Amino acid sequence: MTDATAAPSAVETGRVGVMLPRDLPVADVLPFARRAEALGFDELWVVEDLGFRGGFAQAAAVLGATERIEVGIGILPAAARLAAFAAMEIATLEQLFPGRVIVGLGHGMPQWMRQLGAWPASPLTLLRETTLTLRALLAGEPAPDGGRYIEASGLVLDERPERVPPILLGVRGPRSLELAGEVADGVVLAEPADPTYIEASIAHVERGAATAGRSASAPRVVTYDVAAVAETDAAAFARVRPALAWFGEPDWAPHLAGLPFAADLAELRKRAGSPAAFAEAIPDEWIARLALAGTAERVRELVAERHRAGATTVVLTPVGDDRLGELERLAAAR
């Protein structure tokens, strides 16, 4: 099987990507991808959220519509994807578009997986087994012996890519981040990705890598953040405010732990009564830490801060009704 202790390859740093919004009108999906490439973004990330669009289908479409930009799938829920068939899909994309595929894999949102009856007793074990099986199959090696959840012993892909694309774990908790250090090529950190959160997450990843005896090579670290560029900071803050409506819920606790206003944010959420009221009540000085928002100069410096904290790719998530127009504005902050 693939050696889980192998060192990740060197990673290009200082990259800037953009998120393909999950609810973008279908007629705008390919124009958005082409424009992101033309504007010089390094990566385009597609989302696989329950009830929206499939990750593999989106990735194939935008890869076929572009020529250079790397495309990340963020993220595939391990509980909803049979490992052998996921490996076949990934191998096909990498064969057709070599060097342009990045794979994000995670637990999936617990409430969605429970809704489907797919939440495992041990999400960490399932994610470990899925990651190791994918890496083995994509490397042309037999799938490892059956584990608690994955049974594909001896399977070998007849059609496999020349390169195993980066497999990153989209996770939050300390144990899951350490698992990324043990078995994956890096992590995808959901929004908000303040530098303190990035540094804390990387420390967990590095701890996991050391436990597994892997090299100290820097992991690939992709961060997401809600973003807006405007002529004034206040105008940009107003644009991103509605997109912050769900921050402060328990799932976001790891992201907020290093922020001086984390406890106040949680208390504000309790008092607000609704997500919309909560978003409206967030002070501007908090938004300055919760999003990549402001003038182009300000956002450019915020992106640089995330790179200095260890992010290899900072992904900007456009907001509002005019996402194609927002894409143009975000490009000014690259």
Side-chain angles (χ1 to χ4, degrees), residues 31 92 98 104 118 121 146 156 230 232 242 248 260 263 270 282 311 319 331:
T92 301
V156 176
T232 66
K270 292 178 185 176
I282 299 175
V319 297

Side-chain angles (χ1 to χ4, degrees), residues 156-195:
V156 176
L157 293 187
D158 292 320
E159 290 293 332
R160 56 184 181 269
E162 293 185 3
R163 176 196 81 142
V164 178
I167 297 179
L168 315 182
L169 300 192
V171 291
R172 288 189 173 103
R175 290 177 63 199
S176 297
L177 289 164
E178 289 178 15
L179 176 65
E182 294 174 30
V183 302
D185 300 305
V187 289
V188 179
L189 303 179
E191 69 284 349
D194 183 82

Side-chain angles (χ1 to χ4, degrees), residues 102-113:
I102 310 167
V103 181
L105 184 69
H107 301 301
M109 296 296 286
Q111 64 268 34
W112 293 342
M113 297 299 103

Side-chain angles (χ1 to χ4, degrees), residues 78-81 107 118 120 122-131 149-150:
R81 293 285 184 179
H107 301 301
S122 177
L124 202 66
T125 300
L126 174 59
L127 188 56
R128 175 188 294 276
E129 292 181 4
T130 301
T131 305
Y149 294 104
I150 306 299

Side-chain angles (χ1 to χ4, degrees), residues 10 39 76-77 81 85 142 169 195 204 241 244:
L39 289 168
L76 300 170
R81 293 285 184 179
F85 283 92
L169 300 192
H204 287 299
R241 186 178 292 277
L244 308 183

Side-chain angles (χ1 to χ4, degrees), residues 39-269:
L39 289 168
F41 287 98
D42 300 297
E43 297 174 14
L44 175 67
W45 282 77
V46 301
V47 180
E48 182 164 88
D49 283 351
L50 185 62
F52 290 87
R53 298 184 176 114
F56 285 127
Q58 289 182 92
V62 299
L63 282 162
T66 55
E67 296 179 356
R68 172 198 59 81
I69 198 166
E70 292 186 43
V71 175
I73 307 174
I75 59 169
L76 300 170
R81 293 285 184 179
L82 195 60
F85 283 92
M88 291 164 56
E89 298 281 6
I90 296 166
T92 301
L93 289 177
E94 179 63 26
Q95 280 186 318
L96 292 172
F97 307 101
R100 296 179 56 204
V101 178
I102 310 167
V103 181
L105 184 69
H107 301 301
M109 296 296 286
Q111 64 268 34
W112 293 342
M113 297 299 103
R114 291 190 176 104
Q115 182 181 348
L116 300 175
W119 187 247
S122 177
L124 202 66
T125 300
L126 174 59
L127 188 56
R128 175 188 294 276
E129 292 181 4
T130 301
T131 305
L132 293 175
T133 300
L134 288 179
R135 293 187 64 169
L137 291 173
L138 292 168
E141 300 173 4
D145 291 339
R148 180 174 178 180
Y149 294 104
I150 306 299
E151 177 52 72
S153 301
L155 175 67
V156 176
L157 293 187
D158 292 320
E159 290 293 332
R160 56 184 181 269
E162 293 185 3
R163 176 196 81 142
V164 178
I167 297 179
L168 315 182
L169 300 192
V171 291
R172 288 189 173 103
R175 290 177 63 199
S176 297
L177 289 164
E178 289 178 15
L179 176 65
E182 294 174 30
V183 302
D185 300 305
V187 289
V188 179
L189 303 179
E191 69 284 349
D194 183 82
T196 56
Y197 173 57
I198 297 171
E199 291 170 352
S201 298
I202 291 173
H204 287 299
V205 174
E206 291 177 341
R207 188 173 299 117
T211 298
R214 304 181 83 186
S215 164
S217 297
R220 191 161 185 157
V221 179
V222 175
T223 63
Y224 293 168
D225 268 300
V226 175
V229 170
E231 291 186 1
T232 66
D233 292 345
F237 292 171
R239 283 222 293 276
V240 300
R241 186 178 292 277
L244 308 183
W246 301 104
F247 289 8
E249 288 193 340
D251 281 346
W252 272 269
H255 303 251
L256 307 174
L259 298 177
F261 54 83
D264 294 331
L265 187 74
E267 181 60 31
L268 177 62
R269 180 160 199 86

